[in-house]
Amino acid sequence: LLNTEMAIWQLCAILLGFSVVSAQYLPNWESLDARPLPEWYDQAKVGIILHWGIYSVPSYGGGPAKGTFGSKGEWFWWEWQEEKLQWAVDFMQENYPEDFTYPDFAPSFTAELFDPDEWAELFQAAGARYVVLTSKHHEGWTNWKSPTAWNWNSVENGPHRDLVGDLATSIRSKTSIHFGLYFSQFEWFNSLFKADQAGGFKTQTYVKEVSQPQLHEIVNSYKPELIWSDGDWEAEDTYWNSTEFLAWLYNDSPVKDTVVVNDRWGKGCTCKHGGYYTCTDRYNPGVLQTHKWENALTLDRHSWGYRREADLANYLSMEELLQQLATTISCGGNFLLNAGPVHDGRIAPIMEERFRQLGSWLSVNGEAIYGSKPWTYQNDTVNPDIWYTQNSTSKAVYGILLKWPAIYTVTLESVKMSSSSKVSLLGYGPLSWEAVGDKVAVELPYLPLDSDLQWAWTLKFEGITPAVF
């Protein structure tokens, strides 16, 4: 009888236009961790993340002294008010009235030059397949009109614009890029959070009245396909109600079938629970991982937020960026590159240049990156400047060369070639090769000075097998 009733219920649901959910995730890590990662994320490989908030107004990190380490611009409020670092105290005393407070920066977060269509075009040109915007950082300012952040949001203060909504609309209408949002669980100086913290997180007033309502707001209003959680490390996931939120996200939210999340959902969760792993900022293990992971790194070597005092030496070169990209993709990770926009809505020229250079390189070498998978070997056994990937469908193998040899010959040991094997240089054409004992020597061409092939080069191998050692 029970089976008959169930069959009748399912038939009625179909006739009424409803779908019968075949899999429901429970609010525990065993169930949530078993959810397959939506395929689009692994195929995308390359993303951009943006740190933009009130910290973009002071945009100062205490340096540099001839290119040396300063501090993280997005942590300015904490470093000034809580840690009372001398450089931050001096900066405020020298440039602002004595009674000036951090919230007084908000009216200067103007975004008057912010053109979301221009940003969308730039990210497309950069070769990004997903973009993540900071919806809220640790300062608590929200880049959308949140009812729980009265007058501390971008609609009621500062630019008087829905920055999240404006960018989401442009990304979706102008590009094929996936749109995601960064969200900080905690807020440094929120009185509700500090009260919970003072009580050893035995109460959840802040979670129930602020962080959970905000997470539901951004999911229901903007439908992000990626949620980059952060600011979770002071309390266990049970305080943040993380498993309950993720169960709702996976089962009932408007993005339940496509959304991807990271691993920052409470103390002890990083590199252990969630969707893909980030483990630490700028995580790049250099060896193949068994779980999908992401290397989130910054164009500014030290800061996620924009720093006015950063000089050229503080920015990664294209050679350094492509070294990070090649090693990350070879070892099964995704590459998420950060830029900190200016308070007025511009992306600084040095950051724009790096994005366009990255896109230029990917337009030639992208087949070794997008949709690829790790090969048998990641780094060549005798050539540390070669990192391998493999095409998921054609089985072609790619060797990304990070340093052009002075003798115009690349020696490899990890590939085994036969008379039918072929080697080519992406963007150029076929190359000659010969077996030298148990190694392979590939002859490189003399490229013209004005060649578009620069910074790193990709060898495409067809009809090869991995060497056996």
Side-chain angles (χ1 to χ4, degrees):
L1 180 61
L2 183 61
N3 290 338
T4 302
E5 290 176 347
M6 179 61 71
I8 293 172
W9 181 88
Q10 290 176 339
L11 178 60
C12 291
I14 293 171
L15 292 174
L16 289 172
F18 299 114
S19 61
V20 180
V21 178
S22 59
Q24 287 283 310
Y25 295 96
L26 301 176
N28 62 65
W29 288 121
E30 181 180 5
S31 177
L32 297 169
D33 289 344
R35 177 182 182 255
L37 193 70
E39 185 178 0
W40 74 260
Y41 178 78
D42 183 53
Q43 296 294 308
K45 303 299 184 186
V46 179
I48 288 173
I49 185 170
L50 304 155
H51 277 67
W52 198 29
I54 300 302
Y55 46 84
S56 306
V57 178
S59 55
Y60 187 69
K66 297 182 180 179
T68 59
F69 171 72
S71 187
K72 296 185 289 188
E74 73 282 0
W75 279 66
F76 182 81
W77 194 4
W78 179 264
E79 292 164 332
W80 169 37
Q81 291 290 305
E82 184 67 25
E83 294 187 327
K84 301 186 185 304
L85 299 183
Q86 194 60 50
W87 62 262
V89 173
D90 291 345
F91 176 78
M92 293 304 298
Q93 289 178 346
E94 294 168 5
N95 297 285
Y96 296 92
E98 184 177 352
D99 60 349
F100 194 93
T101 66
Y102 189 82
D104 291 330
F105 281 122
S108 297
F109 182 45
T110 51
E112 74 270 25
L113 299 180
F114 171 51
D115 185 335
D117 287 352
E118 288 185 358
W119 282 25
E121 181 279 324
L122 174 61
F123 303 150
Q124 184 95 312
R129 296 293 174 87
Y130 61 105
V131 167
V132 182
L133 174 67
T134 301
S135 64
K136 182 187 79 168
H137 200 257
H138 312 326
E139 63 189 6
W141 170 274
T142 65
N143 279 327
W144 83 99
K145 186 179 179 180
S146 174
T148 63
W150 179 81
N151 205 40
W152 194 235
N153 65 75
S154 66
V155 177
E156 297 177 313
N157 203 338
H160 297 285
R161 293 179 63 174
D162 181 355
L163 302 178
V164 172
D166 287 351
L167 185 59
T169 297
S170 290
I171 291 292
R172 288 170 173 147
S173 64
K174 303 293 183 180
T175 76
S176 57
I177 295 172
H178 297 271
F179 181 74
L181 289 171
Y182 168 107
F183 179 84
S184 174
Q185 299 285 347
F186 83 147
E187 299 175 17
W188 289 316
F189 301 111
N190 186 295
S191 60
L192 298 180
F193 175 74
K194 291 177 73 68
D196 286 349
Q197 183 184 47
F201 297 110
K202 294 178 182 178
T203 58
Q204 293 178 292
T205 307
Y206 168 79
V207 172
K208 293 176 181 178
E209 296 188 17
V210 180
S211 63
Q212 279 295 310
Q214 288 179 344
L215 274 169
H216 283 76
E217 286 169 29
I218 61 174
V219 171
N220 286 320
S221 297
Y222 306 108
K223 300 175 179 56
E225 290 185 88
L226 189 151
I227 298 178
W228 216 99
S229 177
D230 196 19
D232 62 313
W233 56 83
E234 292 202 11
E236 304 289 338
D237 64 271
T238 50
Y239 169 74
W240 300 114
N241 281 346
S242 294
T243 55
E244 288 81 1
F245 170 75
L246 291 174
W248 169 80
L249 187 70
Y250 294 167
N251 292 328
D252 302 310
S253 79
V255 290
K256 60 186 178 66
D257 296 323
T258 59
V259 71
V260 173
V261 303
N262 65 350
D263 56 348
R264 302 186 183 191
W265 297 97
K267 184 188 298 183
C269 287
T270 305
C271 229
K272 184 178 180 182
H273 294 303
Y276 64 87
Y277 294 166
T278 62
C279 300
T280 63
D281 290 352
R282 304 175 181 87
Y283 178 66
N284 189 356
V287 294
L288 184 62
Q289 301 296 295
T290 57
H291 191 94
K292 185 63 188 180
W293 61 281
E294 180 181 75
N295 178 6
L297 70 161
T298 56
L299 280 171
D300 179 331
R301 298 179 188 277
H302 312 296
S303 179
W304 298 83
Y306 179 65
R307 293 188 303 141
R308 290 176 291 164
E309 82 278 12
D311 62 14
L312 185 60
N314 274 232
Y315 288 94
L316 296 179
S317 68
M318 273 306 297
E319 289 81 2
E320 291 171 312
L321 283 177
L322 293 178
Q323 188 271 340
Q324 289 288 324
L325 175 65
T327 54
T328 296
I329 304 303
S330 177
C331 296
N334 271 26
F335 177 84
L336 184 65
L337 184 59
N338 175 81
V342 185
H343 73 279
D344 57 18
R346 291 175 296 119
I347 292 178
I350 182 63
M351 298 185 185
E352 178 183 354
E353 180 182 56
R354 289 290 183 270
F355 281 153
R356 294 193 184 278
Q357 289 172 330
L358 176 62
S360 173
W361 188 87
L362 285 167
S363 70
V364 175
N365 301 278
E367 66 176 272
I369 303 297
Y370 302 121
S372 66
K373 66 178 183 180
W375 191 47
T376 307
Y377 303 106
Q378 281 63 64
N379 193 206
D380 191 80
T381 50
V382 296
N383 192 332
D385 296 320
I386 286 278
W387 290 82
Y388 294 106
T389 67
Q390 184 177 8
N391 187 290
S392 298
T393 54
S394 72
K395 306 305 179 184
V397 173
Y398 303 92
I400 302 174
L401 176 63
L402 299 177
K403 184 178 180 181
W404 193 270
I407 59 174
Y408 285 79
T409 300
V410 178
T411 301
L412 310 169
E413 189 178 46
S414 296
V415 299
K416 182 178 181 181
M417 305 183 69
S418 66
S419 58
S420 60
S421 299
K422 299 178 182 179
V423 186
S424 59
L425 177 65
L426 294 188
Y428 178 82
L431 301 178
S432 299
W433 64 273
E434 64 176 342
V436 182
D438 58 354
K439 300 178 179 62
V440 172
V442 178
E443 184 178 343
L444 298 178
Y446 286 84
L447 298 174
L449 294 176
D450 61 350
S451 173
D452 290 333
L453 305 183
Q454 53 184 328
W455 307 307
W457 306 264
T458 303
L459 302 176
K460 181 177 182 180
F461 299 93
E462 298 173 274
I464 68 165
T465 56
V468 178
F469 300 104

